[in-house]
Amino acid sequence: MKLDVKVDTRGVLLRLDARQREVRQAAAITINRLLPEMQQAVIGEMARTFDRPTPYTLGGTFVRKATPTRIEGVVALKDEGFAGKGVPATKYLAPSVFGGDRNEKRFERALRAAGILPIGMYAVKGEGAQTDAFGNMARGQIVQILSYFQAFSEQGFRANSTEKSRARLKRGTRKSVRGFTYFVLRSSRGKLPPGIYQSIKSGFGYAIKPVLIFVDGAPNYERAFDFYGVAEKVARRRFPDVYASTLRKMAGVR
């Protein structure tokens, strides 16, 4: 004898499936509501950690929203896909996030290729360097140095200085700009460490100023930028309340 018991579960499964979709949708909505808060927390941490960060640095993050089929939101540093001609945030901010050696800069590669910067050495800002509003070495002076030593590659060779343009810099102008030249020390000379120096003409002769100092090994950074910590703190603190509020709104309960 055989007894078959059949239960129609289609209605139950449909309700469970609908509930599951609702839960996933609520999670995606919650994550997307929190992403801007997490991103602002990261930007605030940049402003607190770095000395006068540039707008480029402060804009170095992006957000990727979650969907009901991909319950994952992202706040991340911009990579090569976002940088255009600039250096991506993933490269120059990574040492501050994880600690370790600074990456080689583009102008250092150009100086090294031109035989100016010795192999194994890196360039750091000297006291005679011009700086921008954010405390970084002025781009104009970097370009001037690369041009002066003809360190631009074939693609940029038109920007390299000629004998006439270097002579104009040496003369200066009668009204305001003092004449100067650049010179390189690839090894220490007396009290002067290796580097690039500016020799500036004055009424008493020439004043020597270090513009770039060459140091052995890449400058090392300690972990200073708590990228993950500040974002995770926002998520842990805010997710339960925002998620509960989202579910109530979806259920029509205030």
Side-chain angles (χ1 to χ4, degrees):
M1 182 178 292
K2 179 179 170 184
L3 176 65
D4 287 337
V5 179
K6 295 182 179 181
V7 178
D8 187 356
T9 60
R10 287 176 297 177
V12 175
L13 291 175
L14 286 173
R15 287 195 295 274
L16 287 174
D17 187 54
R19 181 60 178 169
Q20 188 179 41
R21 287 198 303 270
E22 183 180 282
V23 168
R24 294 178 67 85
Q25 185 178 3
I29 292 172
T30 301
I31 289 172
N32 293 338
R33 287 180 60 185
L34 293 178
L35 286 175
E37 295 183 30
M38 295 166 67
Q39 186 179 35
Q40 285 303 311
V42 168
I43 294 171
E45 180 70 1
M46 286 184 187
R48 186 191 68 79
T49 301
F50 303 123
D51 178 26
R52 290 173 289 173
T54 65
Y56 183 83
T57 294
L58 294 176
T61 62
F62 73 96
V63 165
R64 186 171 65 231
K65 291 185 175 182
T67 68
T69 56
R70 191 191 71 242
I71 310 298
E72 178 187 70
V74 173
V75 177
L77 296 177
K78 292 180 178 178
D79 56 17
E80 288 84 351
F82 292 89
K85 293 184 179 180
V87 179
T90 49
K91 284 193 174 181
Y92 70 88
L93 289 180
S96 296
V97 176
F98 303 106
D101 293 342
R102 166 172 71 72
N103 294 318
E104 185 180 55
K105 295 184 177 180
R106 191 176 298 173
F107 81 87
E108 289 174 321
R109 288 197 297 272
L111 289 174
R112 205 183 307 283
I116 304 299
L117 180 63
I119 294 174
M121 302 190 84
Y122 291 74
V124 297
K125 185 175 59 178
E127 63 181 40
Q130 298 171 10
T131 57
D132 60 21
F134 306 100
N136 300 313
M137 187 169 177
R139 176 171 173 76
Q141 189 174 36
I142 292 175
V143 171
Q144 186 182 69
I145 289 171
L146 294 176
S147 173
Y148 192 91
F149 292 107
Q150 298 183 314
F152 284 105
S153 63
E154 288 186 13
Q155 292 179 342
F157 74 98
R158 294 179 185 277
N160 286 328
S161 292
T162 63
E163 289 187 13
K164 287 185 178 180
S165 60
R166 288 193 292 273
R168 283 196 300 270
L169 289 178
K170 186 175 182 179
R171 286 196 306 270
T173 61
R174 293 182 179 180
K175 291 185 177 181
S176 57
V177 180
R178 293 181 177 181
F180 65 88
T181 59
Y182 288 109
F183 66 91
V184 179
L185 294 181
R186 292 179 179 81
S187 58
S188 298
R189 183 178 300 175
K191 294 183 178 180
L192 298 179
I196 294 176
Y197 291 81
Q198 193 177 49
S199 178
I200 304 172
K201 185 178 180 181
S202 70
F204 303 97
Y206 287 88
I208 306 299
K209 291 186 176 182
V211 179
L212 288 170
I213 302 298
F214 300 160
V215 297
D216 288 316
N220 188 271
Y221 290 93
E222 295 182 358
R223 292 184 181 182
F225 177 27
D226 190 14
F227 176 83
Y228 295 102
V230 295
E232 185 177 351
K233 190 180 294 183
V234 172
R236 287 181 178 277
R237 177 173 54 85
R238 296 275 291 134
F239 189 89
D241 289 342
V242 176
Y243 181 66
S245 173
T246 302
L247 281 176
R248 287 197 299 270
K249 287 182 179 179
M250 292 178 66
V253 179
R254 293 188 179 183

